[in-house]
Amino acid sequence: VIDTSGDLTVQGGRIHIRESDDGNNAVAITRDADEGYVQLFSSGTQTIEIRGNGSSYFNGGNVGINTTSPGDKLTVQGGNIQVTGSGGIGIKFVGTADGSNKNALYFRTQGGTEKYRMIHDQSADGTDDIVFKAAANSITTLALKQDGKVGIGTSSPATNLEVYGGDSSAGIVRI
């Protein structure tokens, strides 16, 4: 029903917009018993679902917030990202199915130059080591090893605390 103000009301049904060339769904606006949702399709394959109550997803391509050309799976241009809640909230980094858990958090300039990174399982050998590196992965500044050893200026401390000065004249302090 289209009323005099131009509003379209569909009661008890679904709206499907089909592609003109092959008749596949392009957009579906539909509902379950307790929620409405929108589905988007590409060549007949559903790629996006946004639900009013429950899980929504985006499959295929990158998502951008405040940008029309996201360069990664999620690109946020400007502003901050806030994670709030009570109890066990946080950001998860999940390893790959091959057993390597190599994950990293990168710090880069606006131009993309890497300045710092924090790497979990740098060697991709299944350890829980965490290494901090500066200057695009070339200088180890801090290493927290799975066995409890800490290295400053070295990625492989031989004792519980090892501080490396950077060259032979600066020396090494081991505790």
Side-chain angles (χ1 to χ4, degrees):
V1 174
I2 298 178
D3 64 23
T4 58
S5 67
D7 291 340
L8 172 66
T9 302
V10 177
Q11 185 171 344
R14 293 165 175 80
I15 298 173
H16 294 271
I17 300 172
R18 299 195 187 278
E19 296 174 3
S20 61
D21 56 346
D22 58 16
N24 287 326
N25 276 347
V27 178
I29 302 171
T30 187
R31 64 168 188 62
D32 285 337
D34 62 345
E35 69 176 323
Y37 53 97
V38 176
Q39 298 168 316
L40 301 179
F41 299 81
S42 176
S43 300
T45 301
Q46 184 178 339
T47 56
I48 297 173
E49 182 164 297
I50 301 172
R51 291 184 163 263
N53 180 23
S55 297
S56 298
Y57 61 86
F58 296 80
N59 288 331
N62 298 335
V63 175
I65 298 175
N66 205 30
T67 179
T68 57
S69 55
D72 290 297
K73 289 294 181 187
L74 174 62
T75 300
V76 179
Q77 180 67 37
N80 298 310
I81 299 173
Q82 181 176 351
V83 179
T84 63
S86 61
I89 65 161
I91 299 173
K92 292 182 183 179
F93 293 89
V94 179
T96 59
D98 67 2
S100 69
N101 294 316
K102 188 172 184 177
N103 299 298
L105 181 62
Y106 300 90
F107 299 88
R108 294 184 172 149
T109 65
Q110 180 65 28
T113 302
E114 185 177 317
K115 294 296 186 177
Y116 221 85
R117 80 168 62 172
M118 181 180 82
I119 310 164
H120 170 249
D121 191 14
Q122 172 182 254
S123 301
D125 59 5
T127 65
D128 286 325
D129 299 344
I130 296 178
V131 177
F132 295 81
K133 292 200 170 230
N137 200 30
S138 62
I139 303 166
T140 298
T141 57
L142 178 67
L144 307 172
K145 305 303 275 184
Q146 177 175 294
D147 61 6
K149 294 176 182 164
V150 175
I152 299 174
T154 178
S155 60
S156 53
T159 59
N160 287 341
L161 175 62
E162 183 172 322
V163 180
Y164 180 66
D167 61 32
S168 59
S169 64
I172 298 174
V173 177
R174 292 184 174 148
I175 298 174

